[in-house]
Amino acid sequence: MSKRYTITAALPYTNGPIHIGHLAGVYVPADIYARYLRLTGNDVAFICGSDEHGVPITIKAKKEGVTPQDIVDKYHAIIKTSFEDFGITFDNYSRTSAKIHHKTASDFFKTLYDKNEFVEETSEQLYDAEANQFLADRFVTGTCPKCGNEEAYGDQCENCGTSLNATDLINPKSAITGNIPTLKETKHWFLPLNKYETFLKDWILKGHKKDWKPNVYGQVKSWIDDGLRPRAVTRDLDWGIPLPVEGGEGKVLYVWFDAPIGYISATKEWAEREGKNWEDYWKDEDTTLVHFIGKDNIVFHCIIFPCMLKAEGSYILPENVPANEFLNLEGHKLSTSKNWAVWLPDYLQDFPNKQDVLRYALTANAPETKDNDFTWKDFQARNNNELVAIFGNFINRVVVLTNKYYDGVVPAPSNYTEIDEETLSAIKAYPAVIASSIERYRFREGSQELMNLARLGNKYLADEEPWKTIKTDEGRTKTVMFVALQLASALAVLCEPFLPFTSDKLKVILSHSELDSESTWEDIARKDVLLPAGHGIQTGKPELLFSKIEDPEIQKQLDKLEANKKANEAANKTVEPQKAEITFDDFSKLDLRVGTIVEAKKMPKTKKLLVLKVDTGLDTRTIVSGIAESFTPEEVVGKRVTVLVNLASRKLRGVESQGMILMTEDENGNLVFVNPSIEEISNGLKIG
């Protein structure tokens, strides 16, 4: 029986393009789910849009010397186009700068305001006197009070995930000027989350203990157990939705109040265009609401937004919030600021017509229960060893043999053997198996069950060997090819949620559109025949569903990442500040000489110290140097070095050190000698 679903995918923030972390965490699983629900005959509203307010956008605009609107217009277009090119099937992709959203969010705030759901408080907030403005959220950085991360933001620590207020930070500083901010009084409106603790305990901790993912349930429980506090829903900014009440001049709705309302406004926009009633998708108890998000958004979608909906009073609550964990890249945390990412527009350009390869690789390695790692080598292996060697190989064999033996016409079967019956029964079972995985949000499992069906096809052909029986038993060969074609037809339908572009290609190859009734998800389980005898498939040389990805293509991507890494290191390279000024007389006291290390050995019972004998031209003396973790004794013997010879001697572990060898670090942090470059320079010559 058909049901109504509202599916939301986290609104991407419009200060940069989409990368694979976003795809793996949110958009690919959401699209698989939406496509599956449509295939099974349900009424689906799959909703998303650009999140276009908040501090990071204003910071980026200031850096680039443009307006915030310029920034969001640029990235909204990039994000929307790349989603379309990648095959994400949103029913509506809107934006929070749209008039319909401003009105929807303002009206929502006013409804809660008129119901006295907010608490107005005058409090001290961080203020940058030089910039002449209050510092909201991401305009403040400092040390996280929970984990000690020195680069935490004023709303959240991205290291430990703790949600913060700017005033919680230790040693805060302004992201605008770098100054230490002061405290200044300002008035804000707060949503008293503590008022809803009982509701949340009943709804989530009791009601969804068994069906929500453990990572989501655990994070929500931790928040509730710690005790909820009022949360500000306004900010002192000039970019955002103006506060629609008296006394709200110079203030806007906090982006995390306005952004989730974007789901509602985007649904309104879609319903108006399609002639539907938007309230059916947000206020009807028969509708199932599901939020797809990353784990950094759990608190907003499981606590703050539900409290907003509960306070308003007429909305349904999410049935599930299947948040994924994070995807790392080549062993390191994805970082947009450090350009350690695989950007979707770049991927689409570098790998044309390979959208399904990335969809499959991200799904097969999805971070559903723990953080996972994307590597280009795994991506290559998933393509070559699974999509090409299993799925593509089966389809190619079936199509080639059908064309070779029967001119592309599905042959009529004769008597079924036990293996034929088992194979046909297995085909009928797969829709329920894959559906079970999808409905439990186990998309990784579902993708592997799909691949198991292709494996079944390969095994069936390998066992029955139609290329041999064609010479001895024509009737048997027809039956085998008929069964194989039924399996290929099932794959064409069942792969659509995971591999939509492949599904389209395969349906063309099998001439699905020429059937009286194209097979649906339910038909795979219900019908005995999917491709009838006499049906003609595409003739001629078949199009390969997948092609191998060679090592040079992968190396190109690895080289690009390495180049990004080096460029980022160069851009962020810090040089130690100049020390206090000295006079020429001070400098002239330093006696720097050219020397050569003639002997070296490890200092017993230490990790860092080498005991060196150095020919300074004046004498041969002992110098103790902390370089043993970077160099072996054998490596340094014979090295030309620069020696400070008139440094007062001192004892280290009982050995008297009579000077210092000059060292520095290269761009990778490795120790290197500061030494004379001309070998002919004699030991003992003065430097300076």
Side-chain angles (χ1 to χ4, degrees):
M1 181 177 149
S2 175
K3 288 181 64 179
R4 188 189 303 114
Y5 288 83
T6 301
I7 303 167
T8 72
L11 306 186
Y13 203 57
T14 44
N15 65 342
I18 294 296
H19 60 58
I20 57 168
H22 302 131
L23 294 173
V26 179
Y27 305 109
V28 170
D31 191 59
I32 291 170
Y33 191 66
R35 284 176 178 273
Y36 160 73
L37 289 176
R38 294 192 196 103
L39 278 170
T40 49
N42 295 287
D43 179 7
V44 175
F46 183 20
I47 301 299
C48 193
S50 294
D51 181 1
E52 300 183 329
H53 298 133
V55 173
I57 286 166
T58 63
I59 292 176
K60 196 174 188 78
K62 284 182 179 180
K63 279 184 180 177
E64 296 187 13
V66 297
T67 67
Q69 192 66 51
D70 291 332
I71 295 292
V72 299
D73 286 347
K74 172 185 174 181
Y75 287 111
H76 171 73
I78 291 171
I79 291 169
K80 188 172 187 291
T81 300
S82 59
F83 274 145
E84 290 168 355
D85 292 345
F86 194 59
I88 303 296
T89 54
F90 297 124
D91 290 294
N92 194 38
Y93 187 81
S94 189
R95 56 192 307 191
T96 60
S97 64
K99 288 182 180 177
I100 192 169
H101 175 68
H102 275 237
K103 184 176 188 319
T104 301
S106 293
D107 289 348
F108 198 105
F109 179 89
K110 282 191 284 188
T111 298
L112 267 59
Y113 179 85
D114 291 341
K115 293 177 70 174
N116 294 316
E117 289 290 342
F118 297 122
V119 176
E120 293 180 30
E121 284 187 12
T122 298
S123 61
E124 289 187 322
Q125 299 289 319
L126 296 176
Y127 182 81
D128 187 327
E130 183 181 335
N132 192 29
Q133 71 177 73
F134 285 96
L135 300 175
D137 302 339
R138 303 247 157 174
F139 274 137
V140 190
T141 59
T143 301
C144 172
K146 187 164 185 179
C147 74
N149 171 30
E150 294 180 356
E151 297 179 354
Y153 291 107
D155 61 344
Q156 188 175 41
C157 174
E158 295 190 347
N159 183 57
C160 68
T162 300
S163 185
L164 301 166
N165 290 310
T167 50
D168 296 333
L169 293 174
I170 300 166
N171 300 323
K173 65 179 180 180
S174 167
I176 304 171
T177 65
N179 293 338
I180 297 172
T182 57
L183 289 169
K184 186 176 179 180
E185 282 194 346
T186 184
K187 183 170 75 170
H188 282 296
W189 283 257
F190 290 75
L191 183 65
L193 298 177
N194 48 303
K195 175 181 173 181
Y196 298 96
E197 280 192 15
T198 301
F199 148 67
L200 291 169
K201 285 177 180 176
D202 289 342
W203 172 53
I204 300 176
L205 300 190
K206 293 181 182 177
H208 288 291
K209 187 172 185 178
K210 294 182 179 178
D211 63 330
W212 279 23
K213 293 172 73 170
N215 61 317
V216 179
Y217 184 88
Q219 195 175 128
V220 173
K221 186 176 186 305
S222 176
W223 261 73
I224 295 172
D225 289 347
D226 283 347
L228 301 177
R229 299 184 296 278
R231 180 92 178 187
V233 299
T234 57
R235 286 291 185 267
D236 291 292
L237 287 171
D238 56 5
W239 175 248
I241 299 173
L243 206 60
V245 294
E246 188 177 339
E249 297 77 16
K251 300 181 191 297
V252 298
L253 295 179
Y254 174 36
V255 67
W256 268 112
F257 183 88
D258 111 63
I261 297 172
Y263 300 138
I264 300 169
S265 60
T267 308
K268 283 185 178 181
E269 188 178 68
W270 165 75
E272 191 176 302
R273 186 176 70 233
E274 300 295 325
K276 296 177 179 284
N277 178 10
W278 74 269
E279 291 191 341
D280 289 344
Y281 295 85
W282 279 96
K283 297 187 176 185
D284 189 326
E285 289 294 336
D286 290 334
T287 297
T288 298
L289 172 63
V290 181
H291 296 312
F292 282 87
I293 58 169
K295 71 175 177 182
D296 51 338
N297 287 336
I298 289 173
V299 63
F300 299 106
H301 286 77
C302 298
I303 292 181
I304 296 174
F305 189 41
C307 287
M308 290 162 56
L309 298 176
K310 183 71 173 175
E312 198 279 344
S314 65
Y315 286 83
I316 59 173
L317 297 170
E319 181 65 27
N320 213 315
V321 186
N324 272 354
E325 299 293 291
F326 288 150
L327 185 73
N328 297 322
L329 172 60
E330 298 289 348
H332 300 285
K333 186 177 179 181
L334 275 159
S335 172
T336 56
S337 62
K338 295 178 180 177
N339 202 15
W340 189 256
V342 177
W343 304 101
L344 180 54
D346 291 349
Y347 175 85
L348 293 169
Q349 183 175 329
D350 292 347
F351 293 94
N353 303 315
K354 283 186 166 58
Q355 297 96 324
D356 281 354
V357 181
L358 184 58
R359 286 178 68 109
Y360 180 75
L362 293 176
T363 304
N365 194 35
E368 292 177 349
T369 55
K370 62 181 179 62
D371 291 357
N372 268 4
D373 193 37
F374 176 92
T375 70
W376 280 111
K377 287 294 185 183
D378 178 72
F379 166 84
Q380 181 186 26
R382 294 283 185 188
N383 178 76
N384 294 354
N385 302 339
E386 295 175 34
L387 293 177
V388 174
I390 299 172
F391 196 120
N393 180 57
F394 170 69
I395 296 300
N396 191 58
R397 291 162 91 187
V398 170
V399 173
V400 167
L401 292 176
T402 303
N403 280 323
K404 183 177 180 180
Y405 301 156
Y406 310 113
D407 294 325
V409 176
V410 178
S414 52
N415 295 327
Y416 289 139
T417 65
E418 186 178 345
I419 188 68
D420 300 333
E421 297 279 8
E422 288 175 359
T423 302
L424 290 169
S425 294
I427 293 171
K428 287 186 174 185
Y430 265 94
V433 170
I434 296 172
S436 173
S437 297
I438 292 174
E439 288 173 6
R440 289 177 293 127
Y441 311 104
R442 295 182 179 181
F443 306 107
R444 186 172 61 200
E445 178 183 277
S447 71
Q448 297 314 293
E449 291 294 354
L450 175 70
M451 196 57 66
N452 285 339
L453 179 56
R455 285 189 177 94
L456 175 67
N458 277 315
K459 185 177 187 308
Y460 177 73
L461 285 180
D463 290 347
E464 301 309 305
E465 300 179 310
W467 46 87
K468 289 185 179 178
T469 59
I470 190 68
K471 300 171 185 175
T472 58
D473 190 340
E474 190 174 336
R476 177 64 193 145
T477 306
K478 287 180 178 179
T479 301
V480 170
M481 292 310 302
F482 177 84
V483 171
L485 282 159
Q486 306 314 304
L487 200 153
S489 184
L491 280 172
V493 175
L494 299 179
C495 81
E496 185 187 330
F498 305 94
L499 308 168
F501 294 88
T502 303
S503 174
D504 290 344
K505 281 199 275 188
L506 185 48
K507 285 176 181 177
V508 169
I509 291 170
L510 298 177
S511 302
H512 261 229
S513 62
E514 295 174 18
L515 296 169
D516 291 337
S517 174
E518 286 193 55
S519 298
T520 66
W521 193 277
E522 285 81 5
D523 287 340
I524 309 301
R526 186 170 49 85
K527 285 185 175 181
D528 291 327
V529 176
L530 303 174
L531 287 183
H535 171 76
I537 68 170
Q538 194 178 69
T539 56
K541 188 176 180 180
E543 179 187 5
L544 292 175
L545 293 182
F546 307 100
S547 58
K548 284 191 75 175
I549 295 173
E550 304 296 345
D551 289 346
E553 295 177 81
I554 296 303
Q555 191 58 49
K556 180 182 174 183
Q557 297 302 320
L558 293 170
D559 291 345
K560 185 190 291 189
L561 279 175
E562 188 60 30
N564 289 347
K565 184 178 180 181
K566 288 183 177 177
N568 181 68
E569 286 172 353
N572 293 283
K573 186 177 180 181
T574 57
V575 179
E576 285 192 30
Q578 178 180 300
K579 292 182 179 180
E581 191 176 86
I582 63 172
T583 66
F584 181 78
D585 288 341
D586 292 328
F587 173 73
S588 65
K589 293 176 182 177
L590 298 177
D591 192 348
L592 299 170
R593 304 277 179 146
V594 177
T596 301
I597 300 174
V598 294
E599 252 182 63
K601 61 181 180 181
K602 286 282 294 284
M603 170 81 79
K605 298 182 181 179
T606 68
K607 286 184 177 180
K608 296 183 177 181
L609 301 181
L610 287 184
V611 181
L612 310 174
K613 293 284 187 184
V614 183
D615 179 357
T616 67
L618 303 173
D619 53 27
T620 298
R621 62 178 66 187
T622 299
I623 297 177
V624 180
S625 183
I627 60 173
E629 290 183 313
S630 300
F631 301 97
T632 65
E634 294 75 20
E635 286 177 304
V636 300
V637 172
K639 281 275 187 188
R640 305 297 300 286
V641 293
T642 301
V643 188
L644 179 59
V645 295
N646 64 334
L647 181 67
S649 63
R650 63 171 179 152
K651 282 195 174 183
L652 294 169
R653 295 292 181 102
V655 177
E656 188 170 348
S657 182
Q658 300 167 300
M660 177 184 289
I661 292 175
L662 271 59
M663 309 289 295
T664 187
E665 289 184 350
D666 66 14
E667 60 184 14
N668 297 316
N670 300 315
L671 279 178
V672 292
F673 290 95
V674 177
N675 56 0
S677 60
I678 302 174
E679 291 296 325
E680 290 76 18
I681 293 177
S682 302
N683 290 341
L685 287 180
K686 288 187 69 174
I687 297 173

